[in-house]
Amino acid sequence: MSGIISYGAYVPLWRLSRDAIGAAWGRPSLGGERSIANNDEDTVTMAIEAVLDCLAGIDRNSVDGLYFASTTAPFREKQCATLVAGAADLKPEIVTADFGNSLRAGTTALRAALDAVNSGSAQNIIVTAADCRLGYPRSDYEQNFGDAATALLVSKNGKPVANVKASYTISNEMYDVWRLDKDTFVQSWEDRFIIEHGYIENMSKAISGLMKKQNLAAGSVTKAVLYAPTARTQQQLARQLGFDPKTQLQDLLVNNLGVCGCAHSLLLLAAALEDAKESDKLLVASYGDGSDAFLIEVTAEVDKIKTGKRGVKGFLASKRMLPTYERYLSYRGILEPQPGESFRLFPSASVSWRERNWSLRFHGSKCKNCGLVTFPIQRVCYQCQSKDNYDEVRLSDKKGKVFTFSLDNLAGRSDDPIIPQMVIESELENARIYCVMTDCDPKEIKINMPVEMTFRKIYEGAGMYNYFWKCRPIR
């Protein structure tokens, strides 16, 4: 029987009040706030953050598979899972796969990972799901959606925090919520049809099927972790299935986060595990072209892995408010900002491949002769001139502090006009690293400010998205 060894989450720093969205269109607000990915974030960068949160305290060499799920992946023909695995500095000898095209893609990836470890074809697979969906301007979806990522490490070895006891899946073909290959915004049919014949009917079939298969009564479930498009429909479903919405229903997180596409059901599971105790029974269900339902039993290990993780609670508590709705439109590319000074670097696939160990994995070199740590990797140590005599060391998981900085008023876009350029000193041997700071107020930057590394999108050029590591104030 396979189980969940660890879990992680990521919620972007930025939030937007739904009052601001409603006011921009002269329509009522749905209340609360939603998360907003920064203009240098996408589903790949968010997934990497969730994977790193999940792997806190875990040997990365033990992972032999990574599955990535998203309905808003940045590439149509290029695997995102390999990019996530590389930036997370996992070993190359792993199985990778992308899942998409359905709000159920996250739990579909989880099922595939469970099947792989149960069959013995892999030992430890990390499943990550991230989404950043766009609702039409002025629509309820625009207010209701959120951006986030989550990750689960699945294994048949080790000490699981929760065991997956059983699952049940149904498939259902219908147009309820969809996007064509040429669409930017999510389309949908009429609400009552979606809820009655789509969401309620399919979730009820999957959950009832699982409960019947396991001879499980509603009263014996500690938490019903149910994906839903709104809190109202979640409570409606819970009541129909015999759950008490006040005591048994996992908070949908719609008021302070939003509904985060295919990542949401696994994000709710991570949130439920943060509050769970030994022997709790969690019934997890997702929806999208059918439904997946899982029965999960929590073990005594659940309290032992919470140290060192930010998790859902930690990332929700760390936030800043976007000042305007227009800034959100610009961040998502709906409103085109005035471009900043263009990058004069010409991207090269061969160079990025050759230098991937420092540009993607963020390795520095540590001289075997004198111990000096340098970034990027240097073949010749500039302290003792020793040549090709170094070990590669990971710097992405090391904190640092600002050594010096300048504020560039030319390079930024009109929605983010000041680019903080700086040199930081890593906590590893004070290695100095040149990088850009993100998720910050430039006026608050100061010498010796504590920072941490984050993988972000730098610019688009030569038909490629170019990523690199930035620093940010510690969240």
Side-chain angles (χ1 to χ4, degrees), residues 391-407:
D391 290 322
E392 293 190 17
V393 289
R394 183 191 303 142
L395 293 166
S396 59
D397 57 352
K398 307 296 186 299
K399 294 182 172 56
K401 59 184 179 181
V402 174
F403 176 73
T404 187
F405 69 98
S406 65
L407 301 180

Side-chain angles (χ1 to χ4, degrees), residues 141-161:
Y141 287 157
E142 183 184 44
Q143 294 194 34
N144 205 42
F145 288 171
D147 307 329
T150 187
L152 301 173
L153 180 59
V154 175
S155 176
K156 206 161 59 170
N157 305 316
K159 297 178 179 177
V161 300

Side-chain angles (χ1 to χ4, degrees), residues 440-451:
C440 67
D441 181 344
K443 295 192 294 293
E444 297 176 358
I445 300 172
K446 55 187 178 184
I447 302 298
N448 289 328
M449 182 180 193
V451 296

Side-chain angles (χ1 to χ4, degrees), residues 215-346:
N215 194 25
L216 187 70
S220 60
V221 173
T222 311
K223 280 287 182 188
V225 184
L226 308 179
Y227 169 89
T230 66
R232 183 179 177 183
T233 52
Q234 188 198 40
Q235 292 174 13
Q236 180 185 347
L237 174 66
R239 281 192 292 270
Q240 286 190 17
L241 292 168
F243 299 115
D244 182 349
K246 292 183 179 176
T247 59
Q248 289 180 282
L249 198 54
Q250 176 64 35
D251 181 5
L252 190 60
L253 302 175
V254 71
N255 285 333
N256 54 353
L257 172 62
V259 178
C260 304
C262 78
H264 204 71
S265 53
L266 299 184
L267 196 75
L268 295 182
L269 172 57
L273 288 171
E274 290 177 5
D275 292 327
K277 59 183 185 301
E278 183 180 4
S279 301
D280 279 359
K281 286 186 173 61
L282 309 178
L283 195 154
V284 182
S286 68
Y287 173 71
D289 308 292
S291 176
D292 292 327
F294 301 86
L295 178 60
I296 294 173
E297 189 168 303
V298 179
T299 75
E301 297 296 316
V302 73
D303 288 327
K304 299 178 183 176
I305 68 158
K306 294 176 181 175
T307 304
K309 288 185 185 302
R310 290 192 172 100
V312 180
K313 283 183 181 175
F315 279 115
L316 282 176
S318 168
K319 66 176 185 178
R320 281 178 179 262
M321 300 303 294
L322 266 189
T324 63
Y325 171 68
E326 290 80 358
R327 184 75 66 93
Y328 156 74
L329 294 178
S330 177
Y331 278 13
R332 294 286 68 80
I334 301 169
L335 185 156
E336 186 176 355
Q338 180 181 359
E341 180 73 8
S342 59
F343 276 83
R344 294 190 174 86
L345 300 173
F346 187 78

Side-chain angles (χ1 to χ4, degrees), residues 10-261:
Y10 176 71
V11 179
L13 179 70
W14 299 101
R15 308 288 192 278
L16 181 61
S17 164
R18 294 191 176 102
D19 291 350
I21 304 175
W25 290 107
R27 57 150 292 177
S29 164
L30 298 182
E33 61 196 34
R34 57 157 294 179
S35 60
I36 303 289
N38 204 335
N39 59 11
D40 58 0
E41 293 186 291
D42 60 20
T43 50
V44 164
T45 66
M46 293 195 296
I48 291 165
E49 294 270 6
V51 166
L52 297 181
D53 192 47
C54 179
L55 292 178
I58 292 174
D59 178 11
R60 300 186 194 190
N61 286 326
S62 67
V63 178
D64 54 8
L66 186 144
Y67 294 168
F68 170 86
S70 179
T71 68
T72 50
F75 298 101
R76 294 292 175 89
E77 186 172 333
K78 184 184 181 319
Q79 199 179 70
C80 294
T82 57
L83 180 54
V84 174
D89 204 17
L90 302 184
K91 61 187 180 185
E93 301 84 8
I94 63 171
V95 177
T96 53
D98 283 5
F99 295 76
N101 293 351
S102 170
L103 290 177
R104 203 154 47 92
T107 51
T108 303
L110 175 61
R111 276 190 62 96
L114 292 167
D115 289 344
V117 297
N118 281 333
S119 70
S121 67
Q123 300 299 309
N124 303 292
I125 294 183
I126 192 160
V127 176
T128 181
D131 247 338
C132 189
R133 301 159 74 213
L134 287 176
Y136 278 106
R138 201 183 182 281
S139 68
D140 280 0
Y141 287 157
E142 183 184 44
Q143 294 194 34
N144 205 42
F145 288 171
D147 307 329
T150 187
L152 301 173
L153 180 59
V154 175
S155 176
K156 206 161 59 170
N157 305 316
K159 297 178 179 177
V161 300
N163 288 311
V164 181
K165 309 290 284 188
S167 64
Y168 198 94
T169 290
I170 63 167
S171 171
N172 180 59
E173 166 56 26
M174 71 184 300
Y175 271 96
D176 54 352
V177 179
W178 71 93
R179 271 183 295 136
L180 303 179
D181 56 358
K182 59 185 179 182
D183 285 342
T184 300
F185 302 105
V186 172
Q187 299 192 59
S188 64
W189 201 248
E190 185 260 327
D191 269 359
R192 191 174 58 178
F193 172 78
I194 295 172
I195 298 303
E196 290 184 5
H197 298 292
Y199 176 75
I200 295 288
E201 192 172 308
N202 286 277
M203 290 283 278
S204 296
K205 283 181 181 176
I207 295 168
S208 299
L210 177 65
M211 294 173 71
K212 184 178 179 181
K213 179 181 171 183
Q214 292 296 301
N215 194 25
L216 187 70
S220 60
V221 173
T222 311
K223 280 287 182 188
V225 184
L226 308 179
Y227 169 89
T230 66
R232 183 179 177 183
T233 52
Q234 188 198 40
Q235 292 174 13
Q236 180 185 347
L237 174 66
R239 281 192 292 270
Q240 286 190 17
L241 292 168
F243 299 115
D244 182 349
K246 292 183 179 176
T247 59
Q248 289 180 282
L249 198 54
Q250 176 64 35
D251 181 5
L252 190 60
L253 302 175
V254 71
N255 285 333
N256 54 353
L257 172 62
V259 178
C260 304

Side-chain angles (χ1 to χ4, degrees), residues 338-383:
Q338 180 181 359
E341 180 73 8
S342 59
F343 276 83
R344 294 190 174 86
L345 300 173
F346 187 78
S348 163
S350 51
V351 171
S352 62
W353 172 80
R354 189 168 59 240
E355 298 180 344
R356 62 194 183 282
N357 277 12
W358 68 263
S359 63
L360 177 62
R361 294 179 180 271
F362 210 56
H363 286 184
S365 50
K366 182 172 184 177
C367 178
K368 291 181 181 178
N369 187 47
C370 70
L372 181 71
V373 176
T374 54
F375 181 86
I377 294 170
Q378 300 293 323
R379 290 186 61 196
V380 178
C381 174
Y382 50 69
Q383 181 166 267

